[in-house]
Amino acid sequence: MYSFEGDFRSSPNVSLGGRSGTDRLTKANLLQKAHEERQKREEARQRLRAAIILQSSVRSFLQRQKVKNFLRGKFEEKKKIGQNLVELTRLLCYFYDEKKVSDLNNLTWLLQQIFKFTPDWTTQCSDFLRKQILVKTCRALQTIPPTHMATPLRAIEVLTQAKYWGDDYITMWGLLVNNGFFTSMLRVFDVKVPHDLEPSSGHNPHLVLANSLLQLLRLPMTLHEASNPEFQIDSEISDIFEKFFTDMLSHRMNQQIYDFLLPSLRDMEIINIVSLNHLERKILTGNTGIKPNISLLASLVKLLDGKLEQLVNPTTILTIVDWLVPTLPRVASDDAESDDDDYVEIVQPETEIETSLIVGDCRSFLNSENFIKFCTRCLDERDVSLLGGITFHLLVNMKMQIHTNRWGGLYSVFCMGIYGGENYDRVGPLP
């Protein structure tokens, strides 16, 4: 119990080697600990920076809303006392929010006032403010109720006249198109023109409205006629063509677009060799923002039906068709005796018109005597390769019957090597 050595108190044991072996840091542990501490400090800095950015964004948003509300009240005051339209335009461009019904009403009121003094307003107002008003008017057509569309449509018709813009005419249209002009016009067609309307003679209020919309829709597609008589397009007109193909022709198909809008555009010859050459160059360079889809193929088929004799270059048409024809799906009516597993079902929830009808019209056009004669009237080596690709898809992938289609005989000609033995490898034999 007690020590008999004379030491009734125990002294602490001190290790002469320093800390114990379990707490001793090696070089690897020291580096790992330093790395973890640096990470913690970096995470703390990032959290602080994120908090500062969020707080700054919230304060900026609240301040902007406060200023906009102040200017909105100022606009209402000046509107009552009849201040000049240029000042009202400047105020509206600053606080305008397309999601607010009150701002849409203010835009409509301002446009109605501009109609009364259009020459003076266009002279006194800067080009920047006029473009901003047109952009806001164009975008308003995508959200405004159908009963309030008359004023914005009239504004686009009046304020886009060439006499008010001079050298900035093409730039103005390019800005409108890039801000959804074609999308807005499609919505106007959808809500203002009956779906069962047919292009016919006789006085019909809906037909008169539709023809006015078509004339407005045609304006940006004919800019090259006045600016470049030699059919050479600049970048702005090139962007307009691309937006036409993506926003207009690649849109979902309904009965109204398919049976009225596209035939009407065909009669107006809105598709010409200039726009087709632009699409061909985009396809060949791979620099196109247009995605191949069956709606675009069906639209081009509608627009080119009966107009092929006006085109002088079959290579352009073959390039476009060869690019789009793989989007043609097989439908159940293609071959009643085939197994169901052979069919590729394309689900298109937004398409209001049956896919089988679109596919049938595309196949009828591609298999027509006029189209075959147009494509084979002047063939070079590249044309043969394109025709071979189109034929292979129609006969092999879509399994069209050879004896009932003109492409069957054409395919046999390619495989026999009449146009050159080297083309046989590109086309390939039928399975």
Side-chain angles (χ1 to χ4, degrees), residues 381 384-385 388-389 392 411 413-430:
E381 184 176 347
V384 172
S385 179
F392 185 85
Y411 195 91
V413 170
F414 294 146
C415 292
M416 291 188 326
I418 289 181
Y419 287 101
E422 66 279 2
N423 293 311
Y424 181 81
D425 295 334
R426 303 181 191 175
V427 178
L430 288 173

Side-chain angles (χ1 to χ4, degrees), residues 308-325:
L308 290 175
E309 64 277 1
Q310 302 177 9
L311 304 176
V312 297
N313 188 6
T315 304
T316 299
I317 303 300
L318 287 175
T319 302
I320 297 173
V321 172
D322 181 60
W323 180 61
L324 290 174
V325 76

Side-chain angles (χ1 to χ4, degrees), residues 74-75 78 83-93 121 129:
K74 194 174 182 180
F75 179 88
K78 291 181 177 294
Q83 289 288 334
N84 65 77
L85 293 179
V86 177
E87 181 65 21
L88 291 172
T89 302
R90 186 178 295 108
L91 289 173
L92 182 69
C93 288
W121 181 80
L129 289 179

Side-chain angles (χ1 to χ4, degrees), residues 40-272:
K40 291 180 180 179
R41 291 193 297 270
E42 179 62 26
E43 291 175 358
R45 283 194 294 268
Q46 289 180 355
R47 286 194 296 269
L48 178 61
R49 189 182 304 114
I52 293 174
I53 292 174
L54 288 174
Q55 293 172 4
S56 176
S57 300
V58 170
R59 286 196 300 268
S60 299
F61 173 78
L62 295 177
Q63 185 63 27
R64 286 195 303 271
Q65 295 304 311
K66 182 178 179 180
V67 174
K68 286 184 178 181
N69 289 333
F70 171 76
L71 294 178
R72 196 173 281 114
K74 194 174 182 180
F75 179 88
E76 296 293 340
E77 294 177 0
K78 291 181 177 294
K79 184 170 68 172
K80 294 178 181 179
I81 61 177
Q83 289 288 334
N84 65 77
L85 293 179
V86 177
E87 181 65 21
L88 291 172
T89 302
R90 186 178 295 108
L91 289 173
L92 182 69
C93 288
Y94 190 90
F95 68 77
Y96 179 79
D97 185 354
E98 59 186 14
K99 297 180 181 179
K100 287 184 174 294
V101 178
S102 60
D103 287 353
L104 289 173
N105 294 334
N106 285 330
L107 176 63
T108 302
W109 178 87
L110 181 62
L111 293 175
Q112 292 172 348
Q113 301 305 311
I114 290 174
F115 293 156
K116 302 176 183 179
F117 310 99
T118 301
D120 296 336
W121 181 80
T122 55
T123 302
Q124 301 172 7
C125 199
S126 65
D127 291 346
F128 174 78
L129 289 179
R130 289 192 293 149
K131 290 177 182 177
Q132 289 300 310
I133 286 294
L134 280 175
V135 168
K136 297 180 189 308
T137 303
C138 181
R139 294 174 65 90
L141 288 173
Q142 302 178 22
T143 57
I144 202 169
T147 55
H148 294 73
M149 286 183 171
T151 300
L153 285 173
R154 178 62 177 166
I156 295 177
E157 181 182 6
V158 172
L159 301 181
T160 57
Q161 296 181 26
K163 63 181 181 180
Y164 295 135
W165 294 96
D167 295 336
D168 284 341
Y169 186 60
I170 296 179
T171 304
M172 178 271 299
W173 270 116
L175 183 64
L176 277 186
V177 169
N178 286 327
N179 280 274
F181 172 76
F182 291 123
T183 303
S184 300
M185 295 305 297
L186 275 178
R187 181 175 183 264
V188 175
F189 266 99
D190 194 33
V191 301
K192 299 294 286 186
V193 179
H195 287 196
D196 57 350
L197 184 65
E198 296 180 357
S200 59
S201 58
H203 180 72
N204 187 334
H206 294 295
L207 186 60
V208 174
L209 173 62
N211 289 333
S212 300
L213 295 176
L214 287 171
Q215 292 297 329
L216 188 59
L217 187 62
R218 183 177 180 271
L219 289 177
M221 294 299 296
T222 57
L223 294 175
H224 64 277
E225 297 178 0
S227 60
N228 296 291
E230 298 180 358
F231 287 166
Q232 295 182 359
I233 61 177
D234 54 21
S235 59
E236 292 175 338
I237 298 181
S238 175
D239 292 340
I240 291 175
F241 285 151
E242 185 162 344
K243 282 292 184 179
F244 177 75
F245 287 119
T246 54
D247 295 350
M248 178 67 69
L249 300 189
S250 298
H251 196 266
R252 61 181 176 84
M253 280 291 172
N254 57 28
Q255 205 70 33
Q256 179 199 53
I257 296 175
Y258 199 67
D259 291 338
F260 176 79
L261 181 58
L262 292 177
S264 300
L265 294 177
R266 178 190 60 206
D267 296 339
M268 297 170 63
E269 299 182 359
I270 201 168
I271 284 291
N272 47 44

